[in-house]
Amino acid sequence: YEMQRSLVGSEMCIRDRKRRLGDMDILLWHEILEPYELAVKELQVKFRHLIKEHHGKGLYSPIESVSGRVKSVSSILEKMQRKGIAPEEMEEQVEDIAGIRIICQFVEDIEKVADLIQKRSDIEIKSEKDYIRHMKDSGYRSYHLIVYYTVETMNGPKRIQVEIQIRTMAMDFWATIEHSLQYKYKANIPDHIRERLSAAAKAIIVLDNEMSSVRSEIMDAQNSSQMQRNLITDILNNIENLYKVTNKREVEKIQDEFYHIYAQNDLQELKRFHKELDLIAEGYRAQAITDEL
Ligand code: 0O2
């Protein structure tokens, strides 16, 4: 609170977001942070939908998972104090009030995700920091984008900044551990731990490279299993729909055949069965329309 008071001097104001209370200006943090909370929620939904779209088409998704957070007030105040940012400049200068983290399986996916973001009409890239090509001294590796994103509020549209961090699972593992150590030791992580972290950062590079070398095999395996899941869902939907409109014995026979093919664990057979069932279902649909007419 003391820190906030010292930052929020009487001559410093964020227009429309402050109320005069005697001599003291109060920043309405809840009101300020609300659009950022909305942006984080919306962007998470949108990026998760991208994963769903890829999987729905039986495709490998360059995005493995998405998380987000709004920076805590104490963390914003700490950054403002550290960088000498005045309250009226907070929203422009503190670029990571809203943060989205996108986790990928492989280093190669990071560029693909950055391309996907660049092509979007609802996101405008302001700047980028490539801590993968230029690893930080700490050993930190990640790809950062500062973007503009517009949310709709009761007072109309509001364009805000969002930091998007894109990194592999391995990079994220390292950063999460290191971040918690930073929290524990503040700026003074003991040398022997620093050295270990540095060695671990190098091991992470080797691990990411090793995984990249078998990327196509891993992607093939994941594509096949996703395709198999989609086929099975489709087949079971078709069987369920047929059960409603046709002879139950016939459908039971079809179901038995499905179990038989499923047990063979042969993707090509499953595809063939899926196609045949589609034709049968299509026939019944056509028949139903004719009957209606
Ligand atoms: P949070 O919310 O706790 O993650 P800054 O480092 O903030 O002074 P800048 O230029 O604003 O400077 O941002 P930069 O360097 O792009 O880093 C922003 C965020 O990247 C940090 O947010 C971290 O999440 C992450 N990051 C950067 N460097 C490191 C690092 O050495 N280790 C780890 N684990 N993460 C790092 P904050 O501000 O820490 O806040």
Side-chain angles (χ1 to χ4, degrees):
Y1 177 66
E2 279 306 317
M3 197 195 288
Q4 180 171 351
R5 261 183 68 162
S6 70
L7 279 163
V8 187
S10 57
E11 73 287 2
M12 302 169 173
C13 68
I14 291 184
R15 244 169 277 118
D16 307 329
R17 295 279 176 66
K18 253 175 20 174
R19 302 283 183 272
R20 193 157 282 279
L21 202 70
D23 281 330
M24 197 170 70
D25 290 332
I26 304 285
L27 279 176
L28 296 179
W29 285 103
H30 183 71
E31 233 176 78
I32 294 167
L33 297 183
E34 236 170 34
Y36 293 87
E37 271 154 21
L38 180 59
V40 167
K41 279 187 195 145
E42 285 186 12
L43 285 168
Q44 286 186 93
V45 167
K46 290 180 176 186
F47 286 122
R48 285 186 186 134
H49 186 74
L50 274 179
I51 303 179
K52 195 166 168 255
E53 257 188 295
H54 279 87
H55 289 171
K57 291 195 166 68
L59 294 173
Y60 169 83
S61 168
I63 301 176
E64 172 62 18
S65 62
V66 183
S67 60
R69 61 101 184 95
V70 173
K71 211 172 177 67
S72 66
V73 173
S74 70
S75 192
I76 296 173
L77 287 171
E78 183 278 320
K79 194 163 194 167
M80 287 166 74
Q81 199 180 49
R82 180 161 47 87
K83 298 197 164 183
I85 298 169
E88 66 270 25
E89 288 174 344
M90 179 185 82
E91 290 190 81
E92 181 55 36
Q93 300 289 326
V94 183
E95 297 174 315
D96 65 340
I97 297 177
I100 292 288
R101 186 167 295 156
I102 295 180
I103 305 300
C104 308
Q105 296 192 47
F106 302 101
V107 182
E108 291 80 355
D109 298 335
I110 294 174
E111 208 179 312
K112 294 211 157 52
V113 175
D115 284 347
L116 281 176
I117 293 173
Q118 207 211 329
K119 285 187 191 125
R120 293 185 72 100
S121 61
D122 55 348
I123 294 176
E124 187 195 326
I125 295 177
K126 176 190 176 191
S127 61
E128 57 190 293
K129 283 185 195 160
D130 189 346
Y131 295 130
I132 295 174
R133 283 206 177 89
H134 310 284
M135 182 170 80
K136 278 195 158 185
D137 291 343
S138 60
Y140 179 73
R141 285 163 71 236
S142 186
Y143 189 80
H144 290 190
L145 291 172
I146 304 296
V147 304
Y148 291 113
Y149 179 75
T150 303
V151 284
E152 292 294 331
T153 73
M154 59 184 264
N155 299 318
K158 181 171 168 60
R159 196 163 99 123
I160 59 173
Q161 304 190 80
V162 179
E163 181 187 71
I164 304 180
Q165 300 182 343
I166 316 170
R167 50 170 89 144
T168 64
M169 292 156 115
M171 292 172 195
D172 188 53
F173 173 50
W174 186 94
T176 305
I177 303 286
E178 200 259 3
H179 197 271
S180 56
L181 288 171
Q182 272 184 30
Y183 186 76
K184 179 173 175 190
Y185 294 107
K186 307 289 173 212
N188 309 308
I189 298 183
D191 282 349
H192 71 281
I193 297 183
R194 271 261 150 257
E195 281 157 24
R196 293 278 161 155
L197 282 170
S198 186
K202 285 178 192 136
I204 293 290
I205 298 178
V206 175
L207 174 63
D208 269 334
N209 288 342
E210 283 294 318
M211 293 314 250
S212 287
S213 69
V214 285
R215 180 171 181 260
S216 59
E217 281 78 1
I218 296 173
M219 276 171 62
D220 278 352
Q222 290 177 354
N223 278 343
S224 305
S225 68
Q226 186 61 47
M227 190 177 285
Q228 183 162 346
R229 275 196 292 275
N230 292 352
L231 284 173
I232 290 169
T233 308
D234 262 13
I235 289 170
L236 292 177
N237 278 342
N238 266 338
I239 291 179
E240 213 171 300
N241 289 335
L242 281 174
Y243 193 74
K244 289 176 197 151
V245 296
T246 184
N247 182 301
K248 313 284 179 255
R249 261 177 203 284
E250 281 300 310
V251 183
E252 271 164 21
K253 267 195 221 159
I254 292 174
Q255 185 166 268
D256 286 346
E257 196 185 337
F258 164 66
Y259 287 142
H260 178 70
I261 288 168
Y262 178 77
Q264 290 172 14
N265 203 12
D266 179 339
L267 191 59
Q268 291 314 315
E269 269 301 291
L270 207 58
K271 277 186 187 168
R272 184 197 55 74
F273 182 76
H274 176 260
K275 215 171 186 175
E276 273 179 19
L277 194 58
D278 243 8
L279 287 174
I280 296 174
E282 193 54 50
Y284 275 102
R285 272 195 290 273
Q287 183 65 47
I289 292 169
T290 316
D291 290 350
E292 256 178 46
L293 292 174

